[in-house]
Amino acid sequence: EPAELTKVVSERLLRHDQEFRTDDAQRSAFRVALARALWEVCRRCDDGTLEPELKAAMAAKAFGLRYSDEQELRTAWEPLWQELCPSTSAAVERHHREICSELSEAFVDSISRSEKVTMAKAVSALCTQLEKLSPRPKWGEDAAVTALHQAVFKAVQSLPIFDGTGALLGALGDLSALLYRRKRGEASTSKPAPDENSSGLTLLLSFSSRGSLTDRAAAVRAAMGLTDAARLWPPLTEVAQLHATSVARVDELQAEVEQEKREPGEAVPVRHRGKAQSPAEEFLTATLDMWATTVEQCYREAEDEGDLEPPEIEELSAFIVASLAEFRACSLTLRLAILRLWKRVFAHLAEQRIAACSRL
């Protein structure tokens, strides 16, 4: 009977992996076996035997585990997802509530860091799919999505510093952007309207001065994505301070390298500035990008509560001086990125008829 099959699979298989919540190896081994068992269920049962509730539960379990860093897990769950959901976009639209619930449990119940990182990647992938839906639903009124946002928010709040936190920060930023996105000139559909604290912006920016350079860069990118979506742009002086803090950290790391003992005549290794796509240059690129993007929110005539006033002489000069300092010291990759930032900034100022020469 379909109802009996749903009960057996749900109680004896789908919920059983929580027994291994403290042991990553045992949980992974069980999940590989679980994927094979569920594959056999799908293979042997026709569509009439598999109830929609059971299909949704299996799809929700498969969605997140496809993003595991363990290849064996990924290869075990991907075929099951493809069998259940030939179209990812259609499946996410149909099962997003069950997927949100499954992902939420990982942040509430699991104490495993690797589990949270895996599910954070799945959250970002889910947000990418939900952003594509048209007409755009009011995600701020969707109970499943808001519950997932709260679960990720609380998980990040209590997060210890470890390499890999960037995935969780990205997930929080993507969820907040999904909930609070609005176009310039549009009123916020969220009640109450989000602010820096409720949206998670303050929390994300707090990680820009903690952890590895890679995770700090992820924090800045997540914060920029959220500010762009919700139009919660901070003052230029705050973004300038964010970049100054990043510069100070890179300077500190470079000083440590220069102080290392080495043989006479041995060159100082290039690990940070000057090394293309190094974590340091990725971090500096992120803060400069956020600074340039914030300048692009300066309008001659403010028409939106997220618009900023035209930059003062000191504010625009500070951006040019800081970016020029990095241009002189960095790799060709970062130099090209800075050139693109300058082009964007001056194009925006020209479009808004904001005099730049008098401000430099």
Side-chain angles (χ1 to χ4, degrees):
E1 291 292 328
E4 186 65 24
L5 177 64
T6 299
K7 181 179 179 181
V8 170
V9 172
S10 298
E11 294 181 357
R12 297 186 183 180
L13 295 178
L14 291 175
R15 299 173 188 170
H16 195 58
D17 61 346
Q18 288 303 315
E19 295 182 14
F20 308 109
R21 58 192 295 269
T22 61
D23 191 317
D24 288 348
Q26 287 189 1
R27 185 178 60 250
S28 295
F30 172 78
R31 284 175 168 174
V32 170
L34 174 61
R36 293 167 181 163
L38 294 178
W39 172 259
E40 286 298 318
V41 170
C42 291
R43 190 175 66 85
R44 298 185 183 189
C45 300
D46 55 32
D47 287 341
T49 307
L50 294 176
E51 291 187 324
E53 177 187 348
L54 179 56
K55 281 187 177 180
M58 290 194 293
K61 178 72 73 175
F63 182 85
L65 293 175
R66 294 159 59 234
Y67 295 93
S68 173
D69 287 334
E70 299 180 40
Q71 184 175 357
E72 189 177 14
L73 266 179
R74 289 199 308 273
T75 55
W77 285 92
E78 184 64 39
L80 180 62
W81 171 262
Q82 295 294 339
E83 177 69 20
L84 292 167
C85 311
S87 169
T88 295
S89 57
V92 167
E93 182 176 8
R94 185 183 309 115
H95 302 311
H96 81 271
R97 292 178 180 82
E98 292 83 2
I99 293 173
C100 285
S101 178
E102 181 72 26
L103 295 176
S104 295
E105 289 181 7
F107 295 100
V108 175
D109 296 335
S110 177
I111 62 175
S112 166
R113 291 179 180 178
S114 62
E115 173 83 345
K116 287 185 172 69
V117 170
T118 293
M119 295 308 163
K121 294 176 182 177
V123 168
S124 292
L126 174 65
C127 291
T128 298
Q129 293 295 328
L130 295 181
E131 289 278 16
K132 297 177 182 178
L133 297 187
S134 182
R136 180 182 174 83
K138 294 183 178 179
W139 294 118
E141 299 175 4
D142 189 296
V145 176
T146 55
L148 177 57
H149 180 261
Q150 292 172 2
V152 176
F153 193 108
K154 291 179 180 178
V156 173
Q157 276 184 317
S158 60
L159 201 63
I161 300 300
F162 65 92
D163 287 347
T165 56
L168 281 87
L169 302 176
L172 177 58
D174 291 339
L175 273 171
S176 296
L178 178 70
L179 290 177
Y180 305 126
R181 186 177 302 281
R182 70 177 182 88
K183 295 180 180 179
R184 181 170 179 254
E186 287 183 352
S188 174
T189 58
S190 302
K191 304 298 180 184
D195 57 25
E196 289 78 1
N197 293 321
S198 64
S199 66
L201 178 59
T202 301
L203 180 59
L204 289 172
L205 288 175
S206 71
F207 281 87
S208 67
S209 58
R210 295 185 283 168
S212 68
L213 294 181
T214 299
D215 289 332
R216 293 184 189 208
V220 174
R221 287 193 294 268
M224 186 168 68
L226 170 54
T227 53
D228 182 48
R231 298 198 56 75
L232 291 171
W233 296 101
L236 285 170
T237 51
E238 291 186 13
V239 187
Q241 183 56 48
L242 172 66
H243 178 69
T245 303
S246 70
V247 169
R249 178 54 180 162
V250 173
D251 288 345
E252 180 183 337
L253 292 174
Q254 291 211 153
E256 292 176 2
V257 173
E258 292 170 0
Q259 292 169 6
E260 292 176 352
K261 293 182 179 180
R262 55 181 55 86
E263 295 296 326
E266 183 181 353
V268 177
V270 179
R271 297 177 185 167
H272 303 297
R273 278 193 186 89
K275 183 178 180 180
Q277 298 181 323
S278 65
E281 290 208 347
E282 291 294 315
F283 186 26
L284 294 170
T285 301
T287 55
L288 284 172
D289 189 11
M290 185 167 184
W291 200 348
T293 308
T294 307
V295 174
E296 291 179 293
Q297 310 313 309
C298 297
Y299 289 87
R300 190 179 182 90
E301 295 182 5
E303 300 176 356
D304 183 274
E305 61 182 357
D307 291 348
L308 301 178
E309 295 293 328
E312 298 292 339
I313 294 175
E314 297 81 4
E315 292 173 333
L316 186 57
S317 295
F319 169 72
I320 297 300
V321 169
S323 56
L324 187 58
E326 295 304 329
F327 186 89
R328 290 169 175 161
C330 66
S331 69
L332 177 61
T333 301
L334 183 48
R335 287 182 180 182
L336 292 174
I338 291 173
L339 287 173
R340 287 190 287 268
L341 296 181
W342 288 342
K343 182 179 179 180
R344 281 170 37 195
V345 166
F346 288 119
H348 175 76
L349 295 178
E351 180 184 351
Q352 291 297 311
R353 298 182 179 179
I354 299 173
C357 290
S358 62
R359 288 175 163 81
L360 298 178

